[in-house]
Amino acid sequence: MSLSDAARKVRENAYAPYSNFKVGAALRAPSGQIYSGCNVENVAYPEGTCAEAGAIAAMIAAGETEILEAYVIADSPSPVPPCGGCRQKLAEFAKGEVKVTLATTDGTEQVMKVADLLPGAFGASHMENS
Ligand code: THU
């Protein structure tokens, strides 16, 4: 299955009764395996989790720690941008040049790099004096 098909498929399982905004994310890791995740909302709103976080958790649970490519899809008027927290989460496991495709369910895609999503990212190098 392609990264886009995986993201599109998992999006259907999103639990989003509060926002009605279903998001799907899929990641490709070095083994070639694809990990996918969807948003999971909660009646205590801040406890909800994003699609990207779910996909990353699945990848880590499977024993992989590197993202080679990512795809995020939602039924939005323009390609869905990852939220700020998800940009930092992606940057934890993806090099700056990693391709992230933002997509709408009707087929519009925008390709970005992780470094473009999170310019001036906080990283481990900033803690070197600690
Ligand atoms: N959402 C994601 O899953 N990923 C993003 O990067 C943007 C936002 C979800 C969170 C919430 O369940 C819904 O979209 C509306 O914010």
Side-chain angles (χ1 to χ4, degrees):
M1 189 185 284
S2 69
L3 211 51
S4 61
D5 285 348
R8 187 176 285 271
K9 187 166 187 291
V10 73
R11 179 187 162 276
E12 290 167 13
N13 293 338
Y15 177 75
Y18 307 106
S19 70
N20 287 315
F21 188 68
K22 293 185 167 195
V23 185
L27 313 170
R28 188 166 49 79
S31 68
Q33 184 72 40
I34 289 175
Y35 300 99
S36 56
C38 55
N39 51 332
V40 183
E41 297 185 346
N42 192 282
V43 64
Y45 293 176
E47 300 305 325
T49 51
C50 285
E52 296 90 329
I56 289 170
M59 178 189 78
I60 295 297
E64 298 206 66
T65 54
E66 192 179 359
I67 298 170
L68 295 185
E69 192 179 344
Y71 196 103
V72 188
I73 187 167
D75 183 16
S76 47
S78 58
V80 64
C83 76
C86 286
R87 292 173 192 227
Q88 187 76 44
K89 289 183 177 79
L90 290 168
E92 181 76 16
F93 303 106
K95 295 192 174 80
E97 67 269 23
V98 163
K99 177 178 157 185
V100 183
T101 303
L102 320 179
T104 67
T105 50
D106 63 13
T108 306
E109 293 185 345
Q110 180 185 358
V111 175
M112 295 190 73
K113 289 182 177 173
V114 166
D116 300 326
L117 284 170
L118 196 62
F122 173 70
S125 64
H126 295 103
M127 297 189 288
E128 272 169 12
N129 292 342
S130 304

